[in-house]
Coordinates of all heavy atoms in Angstrom, one line a residue:
G1 N 1.7 -19.2 -2.0 CA 1.9 -18.6 -0.6 C 2.7 -17.4 -0.7 O 2.4 -16.3 -0.1
F2 N 3.9 -17.5 -1.4 CA 4.8 -16.3 -1.5 C 4.1 -15.3 -2.3 O 4.3 -14.1 -2.1 CB 6.0 -16.7 -2.2 CG 6.8 -17.7 -1.3 CD1 7.4 -18.8 -1.9 CD2 7.1 -17.4 0.0 CE1 8.2 -19.6 -1.1 CE2 7.9 -18.2 0.8 CZ 8.4 -19.4 0.3
L3 N 3.3 -15.7 -3.4 CA 2.7 -14.6 -4.1 C 1.6 -13.9 -3.3 O 1.5 -12.7 -3.4 CB 2.0 -15.3 -5.4 CG 1.3 -14.3 -6.4 CD1 2.3 -13.3 -6.9 CD2 0.5 -15.1 -7.5
A4 N 0.9 -14.6 -2.5 CA -0.1 -14.0 -1.6 C 0.5 -13.0 -0.7 O 0.0 -11.8 -0.5 CB -0.9 -15.0 -0.7
A5 N 1.7 -13.3 -0.2 CA 2.6 -12.4 0.7 C 3.1 -11.1 -0.1 O 2.9 -10.0 0.3 CB 3.7 -13.1 1.3
C6 N 3.3 -11.4 -1.4 CA 3.8 -10.2 -2.1 C 2.6 -9.3 -2.5 O 2.7 -8.1 -2.4 CB 4.3 -10.8 -3.6 SG 4.6 -9.5 -4.8
I7 N 1.5 -9.8 -2.8 CA 0.2 -9.1 -3.0 C -0.1 -8.2 -1.8 O -0.6 -7.1 -1.9 CB -0.9 -10.0 -3.4 CG1 -0.6 -10.5 -4.8 CG2 -2.2 -9.2 -3.5 CD1 -1.6 -11.6 -5.3
G8 N -0.1 -8.8 -0.6 CA -0.4 -8.1 0.6 C 0.6 -7.0 0.8 O 0.1 -5.8 1.2
M9 N 1.9 -7.1 0.4 CA 2.8 -6.0 0.6 C 2.4 -4.9 -0.4 O 2.7 -3.7 0.0 CB 4.2 -6.5 0.4 CG 5.3 -5.6 0.8 SD 5.3 -5.2 2.6 CE 4.9 -3.4 2.5
I10 N 2.1 -5.2 -1.7 CA 1.8 -4.4 -2.6 C 0.6 -3.6 -2.1 O 0.5 -2.2 -2.4 CB 1.5 -5.0 -4.0 CG1 2.9 -5.6 -4.6 CG2 0.9 -4.0 -5.0 CD1 2.7 -6.4 -5.8
F11 N -0.4 -4.2 -1.6 CA -1.6 -3.4 -1.1 C -1.3 -2.4 -0.1 O -1.7 -1.4 -0.1 CB -2.6 -4.5 -0.4 CG -3.4 -5.1 -1.5 CD1 -4.1 -6.3 -1.0 CD2 -3.6 -4.7 -2.8 CE1 -4.9 -7.0 -1.9 CE2 -4.5 -5.3 -3.6 CZ -5.1 -6.5 -3.2
G12 N -0.3 -2.7 0.8 CA 0.2 -1.9 1.8 C 0.9 -0.6 1.2 O 0.6 0.5 1.7
V13 N 1.7 -0.8 0.3 CA 2.5 0.3 -0.4 C 1.5 1.2 -1.1 O 1.5 2.4 -1.0 CB 3.6 -0.3 -1.3 CG1 4.2 0.8 -2.1 CG2 4.6 -1.0 -0.5
I14 N 0.6 0.7 -1.8 CA -0.4 1.4 -2.6 C -1.2 2.3 -1.7 O -1.6 3.4 -2.0 CB -1.3 0.5 -3.5 CG1 -0.3 -0.1 -4.6 CG2 -2.3 1.4 -4.0 CD1 -1.0 -1.0 -5.6
S15 N -1.7 1.7 -0.6 CA -2.5 2.4 0.3 C -1.8 3.6 0.9 O -2.3 4.7 1.0 CB -3.0 1.4 1.4 OG -3.7 0.3 1.0
F16 N -0.5 3.2 1.2 CA 0.3 4.4 1.9 C 0.5 5.6 0.8 O 0.4 6.8 1.2 CB 1.6 3.8 2.2 CG 2.5 4.8 2.9 CD1 2.4 5.3 4.1 CD2 3.7 5.3 2.2 CE1 3.3 6.2 4.8 CE2 4.5 6.3 2.7 CZ 4.3 6.7 4.0
E17 N 0.8 5.2 -0.4 CA 1.2 6.2 -1.4 C -0.1 7.1 -1.8 O 0.0 8.3 -2.0 CB 1.8 5.6 -2.6 CG 3.2 5.3 -2.5 CD 4.1 6.4 -2.2 OE1 4.1 7.5 -3.0 OE2 4.7 6.4 -1.0
I18 N -1.3 6.4 -1.9 CA -2.5 7.1 -2.3 C -3.0 8.0 -1.2 O -3.4 9.2 -1.6 CB -3.6 6.0 -2.7 CG1 -3.2 5.2 -3.9 CG2 -4.9 6.8 -2.8 CD1 -4.3 4.2 -4.3
M19 N -2.9 7.6 0.0 CA -3.6 8.4 1.1 C -2.7 9.2 2.0 O -3.1 10.0 2.9 CB -4.4 7.4 1.9 CG -5.6 6.8 1.1 SD -6.7 5.8 2.2 CE -5.7 4.3 2.2
K20 N -1.3 9.0 1.8 CA -0.5 9.7 2.8 C -0.5 11.3 2.8 O -0.3 11.9 3.8 CB 1.0 9.2 2.5 CG 1.6 9.8 1.2 CD 3.1 9.3 1.0 CE 3.7 9.8 -0.3 NZ 5.1 9.4 -0.4
K21 N -0.7 11.9 1.5 CA -0.7 13.3 1.4 C -2.0 13.8 2.1 O -2.0 15.0 2.6 CB -0.6 13.8 -0.1 CG 0.7 13.5 -0.6 CD 0.7 14.0 -2.0 CE 2.2 13.8 -2.6 NZ 2.2 14.2 -4.1
K22 N -3.0 13.1 2.2 CA -4.3 13.5 2.7 C -4.3 13.3 4.2 O -4.8 14.2 4.9 CB -5.4 12.8 2.1 CG -6.8 13.2 2.5 CD -8.0 12.5 1.8 CE -9.4 13.0 2.3 NZ -10.4 12.2 1.6
Y23 N -3.8 12.2 4.7 CA -4.1 11.9 6.1 C -2.7 12.0 7.0 O -2.9 12.1 8.2 CB -4.5 10.5 6.3 CG -5.9 10.3 5.7 CD1 -6.1 9.6 4.5 CD2 -7.0 11.0 6.2 CE1 -7.4 9.4 4.0 CE2 -8.3 10.8 5.7 CZ -8.5 10.0 4.6 OH -9.7 9.9 4.1
L24 N -1.6 12.0 6.3 CA -0.4 12.1 7.2 C 0.3 13.5 7.0 O 1.3 13.7 6.5 CB 0.7 11.0 6.7 CG 0.1 9.6 6.9 CD1 1.2 8.6 6.4 CD2 -0.1 9.2 8.4

């Protein structure tokens, strides 16, 4: 359960870093 929460947070960080320069 904790690992699933960790993976969810990693998805969020990666999404932000990949797309922030294009959309923000």
Side-chain angles (χ1 to χ4, degrees):
F2 293 131
L3 183 61
C6 176
I7 292 172
M9 192 66 244
I10 291 172
F11 280 161
V13 173
I14 291 175
S15 300
F16 181 77
E17 283 300 301
I18 290 176
M19 294 184 280
K20 68 179 182 181
K21 291 183 179 180
K22 182 176 181 180
Y23 295 115
L24 298 178

